[in-house]
Amino acid sequence: QQHKKDKLNLGVSPDGKHIATGDYVGFIRIYASESGEEIKEIQAHDQEVVCLDYSPFISSLNEYTLASGSRD
């Protein structure tokens, strides 16, 4: 049986500074890639996170976007 906090998906930010994980109960967690420290936890969905993807880095805005998908 799967543990509910097991990681189902993983995404790495375009600049390599952040790692995002999605789990079986709809949480997304963002970590600092160098230290492994959890930066943010988001209850994003009611069911498992089936995909995660970062947009390309937009230098003029100094940002990127993390998108997620679920069956909910």
Side-chain angles (χ1 to χ4, degrees), residues 24-26 43-48 70 72:
Y24 284 92
V25 293
Q43 173 67 58
H45 299 281
D46 294 327
Q47 296 184 22
E48 71 270 17
S70 178
D72 58 2

Side-chain angles (χ1 to χ4, degrees), residues 1 7 9 11-13 17 19-20 26 30-32 35 37 39 48 53 55 57-58 62 64-66 72:
Q1 181 178 4
K7 306 304 180 238
N9 285 291
V12 179
S13 65
K17 294 181 180 180
I19 298 170
I30 300 174
Y31 301 89
S35 68
E37 178 184 354
I39 298 169
E48 71 270 17
D53 199 13
S55 71
F57 185 74
I58 303 169
N62 197 31
Y64 45 81
T65 300
L66 174 65
D72 58 2

